[in-house]
C-alpha cells in the first residue's frame, strides 16, 4: 500500500512528504536504534518515540518507508531538515505506539 494511503486511513500527519508514493509492506515498533538496525526490514514504517537526528540515519540505512512519531511527538527542526535532505518521510500519529501499530497491522493485513 502507498504511504499516502496509509497516512490518510490512519490519520497521520506528514512532517516531511519526501516520497508519499513509497510502498509500505509492514511496520516496526522500537525505541532502540540498535534494534531497528538489526531487525527492521525495507519498506516498513518505523513507529517510535525517539526524535533525535540518528533516527534519520537509521531509517535511511534500513531503507524504511518512513518514520512515524507516536503520541504527537514532534522532532526538532534539525531532524526535519535532515529528513528533507535525505528524502525520508516523517509523519506524526496522534495515537500511542500500540494503537498506531495495531491500526497499521489491521490496514495492511486485514
Amino acid at each position: 500500500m502507498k504511504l499516502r494511503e496509509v497516512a490518510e486511513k490512519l490519520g497521520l500527519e506528514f512532517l516531511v512528504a519526501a516520497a508519499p508514493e513509497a510502498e509500505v509492506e509492514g511496520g516496526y515498533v522500537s525505541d532502540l536504534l540498535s534494534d531497528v538496525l538489526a531487525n527492521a526490514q525495507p519498506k516498513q514504517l518505523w513507529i517510535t518515540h525517539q526524535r533525535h537526528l540518528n533516527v534519520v540515519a537509521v531509517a535511511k540505512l534500513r531503507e524504511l518507508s518512513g518514520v512515524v512519531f507516536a503520541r504527537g511527538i514532534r522532532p526538532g527542526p534539525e531532524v526535519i531538515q535532515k529528513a528533507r535532505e535525505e528524502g525520508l518521510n516523517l509523519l506524526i500519529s496522534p495515537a500511542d505506539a500500540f494503537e498506531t501499530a495495531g491500526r497499521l497491522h489491521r490496514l495492511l493485513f486485514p
Side-chain angles (χ1 to χ4, degrees), residues 65-83:
S65 298
V67 177
V68 178
F69 299 99
R71 289 193 343 253
I73 292 173
R74 289 186 172 270
E78 68 283 352
V79 174
I80 294 170
Q81 180 59 36
K82 188 64 172 174

Side-chain angles (χ1 to χ4, degrees), residues 49-98:
H49 299 100
Q50 293 292 347
R51 56 184 178 162
H52 52 76
L53 204 51
N54 290 340
V55 167
V56 175
V58 169
K60 285 302 289 184
L61 186 63
R62 295 304 300 153
E63 299 177 359
L64 301 177
S65 298
V67 177
V68 178
F69 299 99
R71 289 193 343 253
I73 292 173
R74 289 186 172 270
E78 68 283 352
V79 174
I80 294 170
Q81 180 59 36
K82 188 64 172 174
R84 282 189 185 116
E85 291 170 8
E86 295 291 332
L88 176 67
N89 296 301
L90 296 183
L91 303 97
I92 294 179
S93 174
D96 64 25
F98 179 77

Side-chain angles (χ1 to χ4, degrees), residues 1 13 17-18 20 29 33 37 47 50 59 68-71 80 87 91-92 101 105 107:
M1 180 177 287
E13 172 192 348
V29 183
L33 300 179
L37 280 170
I47 302 166
Q50 293 292 347
V68 178
F69 299 99
R71 289 193 343 253
I80 294 170
L91 303 97
I92 294 179
H105 189 275
L107 181 62

Side-chain angles (χ1 to χ4, degrees), residues 20-48:
E21 298 303 312
E23 285 294 325
V24 177
E25 295 180 355
Y28 199 80
V29 183
S30 183
D31 289 332
L32 294 173
L33 300 179
S34 59
D35 178 52
V36 176
L37 280 170
N39 298 298
Q41 299 301 308
K43 297 186 181 179
Q44 289 183 326
L45 271 182
W46 175 15
I47 302 166
T48 187

